[in-house]
């Protein structure tokens, strides 16, 4: 029996380390960072960098929820980026607004005109505008539906079958709309783009499915699970990235967005395969008996409950298995438990423990 926590460890550890590093650097920059407006230039001092742009080297600026970016007009100077929580922010924004264009506004206007002039979206301006408005409404419906399905599936999946099938279906429906939109829809949530984003419709159900599979089912052998997950993930990634004009992979943010999509697709593929494999498994159970050797509680961000069981089935040594708190509290060391072993709908063996 393989460790059922390995998929969770491999999934969450890299994400956790990345987030810790990201927030640590952000905190240091918030504490140590400062901006100095000189008579002829703007200087941004951070924990690990010190950059400046002269007034005549500034192309324009962008304002996001968390950052302000002063973009360089020259290729030999990097843009200035800093958190929007700095002191005297309003004065700096007033200065930038007075003398430089908001590049986000210019890009949105240019993107909108490009969409409205693209005959792929209609033969007349009115038809293209109507299709654009329709896409915005459709994206809102899909994102809200996907977000609610993700919450339903993860927090309260009752009735279970409908919650799971809904979270499986919405990303598929979203990808169909993505592929047949001629580039009108996008996946990445990008404030710089006027294209309607479908990120919530894909990410929320995908992560909910993956976590639901990890929490609900104990896989005995991950060989077929890995195989089917990989096949489905590769197929979905081909659908997403093949002939997709959203990503040109010339900037770091494209690689970051693609990495997020990769993680979401793997979560979706694993979650869909495992939940379908176990929920629709009609094979006869093989019943084994095992004795509880030891009980253990693992505390941390989440509390987990483990039983160490004597060997059963083809196992030749004691193994730990995670159980629900209620079941953990009902039994003691030396008690005997029943293990129900299933072949799985996709021939991915799994099991569950009962008293």
């Amino acid at each position: 029996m393989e460790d059922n926590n390995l998929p969770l460890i491999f999934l969450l550890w890299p994400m956790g380390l990345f987030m810790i590093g990201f927030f640590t650097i952000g905190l240091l920059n918030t504490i140590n960072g400062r901006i100095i407006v000189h008579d002829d230039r703007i200087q941004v001092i951070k924990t690990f960098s010190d950059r400046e742009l002269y007034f005549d080297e500034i192309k324009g600026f962008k304002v996001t929820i968390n950052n302000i970016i002063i973009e360089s007009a020259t290729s030999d100077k990097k843009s200035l980026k800093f958190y929007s929580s700095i002191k005297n922010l309003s004065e700096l924004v007033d200065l930038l607004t007075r003398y430089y264009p908001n590049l986000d506004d210019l890009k949105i206007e240019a993107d909108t005109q490009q969409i409205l002039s693209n005959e792929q979206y209609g033969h007349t301006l009115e038809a293209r505008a109507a299709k654009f408005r329709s896409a915005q409404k459709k994206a809102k419906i899909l994102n809200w539906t996907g977000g609610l399905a993700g919450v339903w599936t993860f927090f309260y999946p009752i009735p279970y079958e409908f919650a799971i099938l809904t979270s499986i279906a919405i990303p598929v429906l979203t990808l169909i709309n993505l592929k047949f939109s001629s580039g009108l829809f996008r996946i990445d949530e990008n404030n710089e783009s006027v294209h309607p984003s479908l990120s919530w419709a894909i990410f929320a159900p995908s992560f909910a499915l993956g976590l639901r599979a990890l929490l609900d089912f104990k896989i005995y052998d991950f060989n077929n699970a890995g195989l089917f997950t990989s096949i489905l993930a590769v197929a979905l990634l081909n659908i997403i990235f093949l002939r997709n004009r959203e990503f040109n992979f010339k900037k770091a943010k494209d690689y970051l967005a693609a990495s997020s999509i990769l993680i979401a697709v793997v979560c979706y593929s694993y979650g869909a395969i495992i939940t379908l494999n176990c929920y629709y498994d009609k094979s006869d159970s093989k019943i084994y008996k095992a004795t509880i050797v030891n009980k253990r509680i693992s505390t941390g961000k989440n509390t987990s409950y483990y039983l160490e069981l004597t060997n059963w089935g083809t196992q030749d040594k004691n193994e730990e298995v995670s159980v629900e708190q209620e079941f953990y509290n009902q039994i003691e060391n030396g008690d005997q438990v029943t293990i129900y072993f299933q072949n799985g709908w996709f021939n991915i063996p799994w099991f569950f423990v009962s008293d």
Side-chain angles (χ1 to χ4, degrees):
M1 179 175 60
E2 300 181 23
D3 191 342
N4 285 278
N5 290 314
L6 284 178
L8 183 62
I9 292 171
F10 287 132
L11 176 65
L12 296 183
W13 263 103
M15 295 172 62
L17 292 174
F18 173 81
M19 294 304 294
I20 290 172
F22 179 81
F23 284 115
T24 299
I25 293 174
L27 179 61
L28 290 173
N29 285 334
T30 301
I31 296 172
N32 301 324
R34 62 187 188 274
I35 295 177
I36 304 174
V37 179
H38 299 277
D39 292 337
D40 57 349
R41 68 192 186 279
I42 296 176
Q43 182 182 14
V44 175
I45 301 174
K46 295 184 180 180
T47 304
F48 301 111
S49 65
D50 183 352
R51 295 175 184 168
E52 62 183 17
L53 282 177
Y54 285 87
F55 290 152
D56 59 359
E57 296 174 332
I58 296 175
K59 179 181 179 181
F61 70 97
K62 301 177 183 179
V63 179
T64 67
I65 296 176
N66 299 313
N67 299 294
I68 295 179
I69 302 170
I70 302 176
E71 196 160 306
S72 172
T74 62
S75 58
D76 58 333
K77 286 285 191 76
K78 291 186 177 181
S79 299
L80 305 180
K81 183 177 180 180
F82 48 90
Y83 287 105
S84 53
S85 57
I86 63 166
K87 297 178 181 179
N88 303 322
L89 177 65
S90 58
E91 291 88 342
L92 179 60
V93 173
D94 287 342
L95 172 67
L96 294 171
T97 303
R98 194 178 310 122
Y99 296 105
Y100 303 102
N102 186 319
L103 299 178
D104 285 336
D105 292 343
L106 294 180
K107 189 174 188 307
I108 288 173
E109 183 179 348
D111 286 350
T112 302
Q113 292 302 317
Q114 185 180 34
I115 290 172
L116 296 179
S117 62
N118 191 335
E119 294 188 356
Q120 284 185 302
Y121 306 136
H123 295 297
T124 65
L125 178 61
E126 291 76 13
R128 294 191 286 270
K131 186 167 185 177
F132 184 40
R133 290 192 297 270
S134 176
Q136 291 174 315
K137 292 179 181 177
K138 188 179 291 186
K140 185 178 293 187
I141 292 172
L142 285 170
N143 283 323
W144 270 101
T145 306
L148 292 173
V151 172
W152 176 26
T153 299
F154 181 68
F155 289 102
Y156 195 71
I158 298 176
Y160 192 89
E161 180 178 17
F162 291 107
I164 293 300
L165 291 179
T166 300
S167 284
I168 290 175
I170 289 174
V172 173
L173 179 62
T174 301
L175 289 184
I176 291 173
N177 279 275
L178 178 73
K179 294 307 291 185
F180 289 97
S181 70
S182 299
L184 189 55
F185 289 118
R186 300 292 166 90
I187 298 179
D188 187 26
E189 186 75 47
N190 188 346
N191 294 327
E192 300 176 1
S193 176
V194 73
H195 289 268
S197 169
L198 299 174
S199 59
W200 278 96
I202 292 177
F203 283 88
S206 297
F207 286 119
L209 271 176
L211 291 171
R212 195 77 265 165
L214 289 169
L215 292 171
D216 293 348
F217 303 106
K218 299 175 179 62
I219 303 303
Y220 183 83
D221 186 339
F222 283 98
N223 289 331
N224 283 345
L227 175 63
F228 288 121
T229 297
S230 299
I231 291 173
L232 180 57
V234 169
L236 293 175
L237 290 170
N238 273 303
I239 292 173
I240 292 172
F241 289 110
L242 193 63
R243 298 179 182 175
N244 189 333
R245 290 172 290 180
E246 180 177 355
F247 303 98
N248 54 28
F249 295 102
K250 293 181 178 179
K251 298 181 179 179
K253 65 179 182 179
D254 286 337
Y255 289 96
L256 182 62
S259 299
S260 301
I261 293 170
L262 173 61
I263 294 172
V265 167
V266 171
C267 284
Y268 174 86
S269 301
Y270 180 81
I273 292 295
I274 296 301
T275 52
L276 291 175
N277 173 81
C278 300
Y279 187 82
Y280 289 104
D281 182 12
K282 305 302 181 184
S283 64
D284 293 331
S285 298
K286 293 180 181 179
I287 300 175
Y288 299 97
K289 297 290 184 178
T291 302
I292 301 172
V293 176
N294 189 37
K295 298 172 64 178
R296 179 174 68 88
I297 300 176
S298 175
T299 58
K301 190 172 183 180
N302 296 304
T303 302
S304 301
Y305 302 85
Y306 296 93
L307 302 178
E308 183 182 347
L309 304 179
T310 55
N311 58 300
W312 57 271
T314 59
Q315 297 302 309
D316 57 3
K317 61 180 180 179
N318 296 353
E319 293 281 357
E320 276 194 335
V321 59
S322 62
V323 295
E324 297 293 330
Q325 180 182 6
E326 183 179 358
F327 181 61
Y328 181 91
N329 292 332
Q330 292 174 354
I331 53 181
E332 300 294 339
N333 289 342
D335 289 349
Q336 193 175 69
V337 295
T338 303
I339 299 165
Y340 295 86
F341 183 91
Q342 304 281 138
N343 290 326
W345 198 36
F346 293 128
N347 199 28
I348 301 172
W350 65 288
F351 66 96
F352 60 93
V353 181
S354 177
D355 56 356

